[in-house]
Amino acid sequence: MGRRKLVAGNWKMNGMKSHLAEIEAIGRIAAERPGVEVGIFLPATLIMAAAEGKGGAFIGAQDCHMNVNGAHTGCLSADMLAEAGAEYVIVGHSERREDQGESNADVAAKALAARTAGLKVILCVGESLDVRDAGNAEAVVCEQLLASLPEGAAADWLAIAYEPIWAIGTGRIPTMDAVASMHAALRAALASRIGAQESDAMRILYGGSMNGDNAAELMAIPDVDGGLVGGASLTAAKFGPVIAAAG
Ligand code: 13P
């Protein structure tokens, strides 16, 4: 085991130059917690400037194209993001799967493109409320994970984020038992594909209404190796307690 906790803030479509001071404040908090890996996933427009004042945090991007270059108006390649100063990228967030119609195959291809560019990856999976209510969330999410998993998946460049869609931005979270059970199921699914040793080393984050009040309990679950945090990552005052809860 010995998985280092990863606490990642996903700023989504939030953040202007006026927020660079907030990013620097998060970087200072991260520097005080070397036992925790802290990242801020920013709109691409802020990556280059934020990378200069990132302190103890790393800067990440929220998506990349699966191709290296070409006629894809408005898109950004993993190489471009790496050159701008990103060290990680999120792929397969439910908001992109829904808004941009990204398939599991697209997500796997993006993860591979990111790795080729030298970026690390957080790959997101999670169920809708209908699936949760129907009682088969674990089977559906494990299937989604295996269908999205890139070739060569390994713990030194890939982490998984379990984000129940109905928990994102709603203030609702699953029970601790449900989170524990899902994360254990995901680790077993990973083991079936990449082997127990690699699966044991791979971090599985929880995301969806994580905040300073619930982070410690969530991250105390043995298979929860950190968090992917939206709203509560937008200020140092809110994100600091989440980082502190990770150790
Ligand atoms: P919230 O923390 O705002 O629920 O968002 C979670 C999320 O989608 C992170 O990627």
Side-chain angles (χ1 to χ4, degrees), residues 10 12 93 95 163 167-169 208-210 228-231:
N10 176 8
K12 307 189 181 186
H93 193 283
E95 287 153 16
E163 297 204 306
I168 295 176
S209 297
M210 184 184 269
L228 183 55
V229 186

Side-chain angles (χ1 to χ4, degrees), residues 116-139:
T116 304
L119 293 174
K120 294 181 180 176
V121 173
I122 296 178
L123 190 164
C124 303
V125 293
E127 83 282 1
S128 66
L129 192 56
D130 284 353
V131 168
R132 170 61 61 176
D133 287 345
N136 49 4
E138 288 181 15

